[in-house]
Amino acid sequence: VPAGRARPRTPPQPSAQPPGLSRSQAIVLAAVPFAVFFTFSALPQTLLPVIGSSELALSTAFIGLALGAGGIARFAGSAVAGAVSDRVSRKAALVPSLLAMGVAVVMLAPPPTVVTWLAAIALLSLASSGIAVAATIIADQVPADTVGRRLGTFRFTGDFGLLAGPAVTGLLYQHSGRSAAMLVTAGVLGSCALAAAVLIV
């Protein structure tokens, strides 16, 4: 560069932006918190204690201990899902977790035993990390200036599922029986898992 002449500036390069989500992918990811919160509010927070008390004659203390142990098991499930999400793929962590929750719910459709009741609690807890994985997919795929809006929708659908779960399954349990309530809940999870398997890259 000649003396006295300023060196020309290199124009700033645009930062790489994530590719974004299609409408169908955004809908599927928003359905994940709906399905998971629907299930948790319907079962551990509502019907599992009712089933344990009225159908299995379990004590309040035993039910509380079992549900508390399930809460602790969530830590192990989160660690496994996080490792799979980082080392394999987000989808490889998301879809099996939704399917495993569906299996746990189906276990309660036949007449329950103490063993199947406890196993359902454990499996629901271990497989409960779908929400965290779906939120991570959003953070990975959505431009930074729209992440907050996407996560707001994500949380809203989760809260809607939290309200809908006990209302829907409680009515089904009362008027159509336990099997109907479990199968509808499993259907919500299974549909979400299938959509995620097909649409999430």
Side-chain angles (χ1 to χ4, degrees):
V1 178
R5 180 178 295 182
R7 185 184 299 272
R9 293 183 178 181
T10 303
Q13 298 297 317
S15 58
Q17 289 287 337
L21 296 169
S22 67
R23 182 179 296 273
S24 59
Q25 290 173 330
I27 290 171
V28 170
L29 290 172
V32 172
F34 174 86
V36 174
F37 278 138
F38 182 101
T39 303
F40 266 93
S41 62
L43 269 71
Q45 298 177 20
T46 306
L47 292 183
L48 279 172
V50 172
I51 293 169
S53 176
S54 63
E55 298 190 44
L56 298 174
L58 300 175
S59 68
T60 302
F62 186 88
I63 293 170
L65 285 171
L67 293 174
I72 294 172
R74 295 181 68 179
F75 290 102
S78 296
V80 172
V84 173
S85 177
D86 289 338
R87 297 177 185 177
V88 183
S89 71
R90 311 296 192 212
K91 184 175 178 178
L94 175 61
V95 174
S97 71
L98 294 170
L99 291 175
M101 288 187 73
V103 169
V105 175
V106 169
M107 290 170 61
L108 296 171
T113 66
V114 174
V115 172
T116 58
W117 184 83
L118 288 171
I121 291 174
L123 188 54
L124 278 172
S125 300
L126 290 169
S128 63
S129 298
I131 290 179
V133 177
T136 304
I137 294 173
I138 291 174
D140 288 343
Q141 299 296 324
V142 171
D145 58 350
T146 61
V147 168
R149 185 167 67 250
R150 292 286 192 179
L151 290 178
T153 302
F154 184 85
R155 179 66 199 192
F156 175 79
T157 59
D159 289 342
F160 184 65
L162 195 68
L163 295 173
V168 172
T169 57
L171 285 173
L172 287 171
Y173 185 84
Q174 182 177 0
H175 296 290
S176 301
R178 174 184 20 80
S179 294
M182 297 304 113
L183 291 176
V184 166
T185 305
V188 171
L189 289 164
S191 299
C192 188
L194 178 62
V198 172
L199 297 172
I200 300 300
V201 178

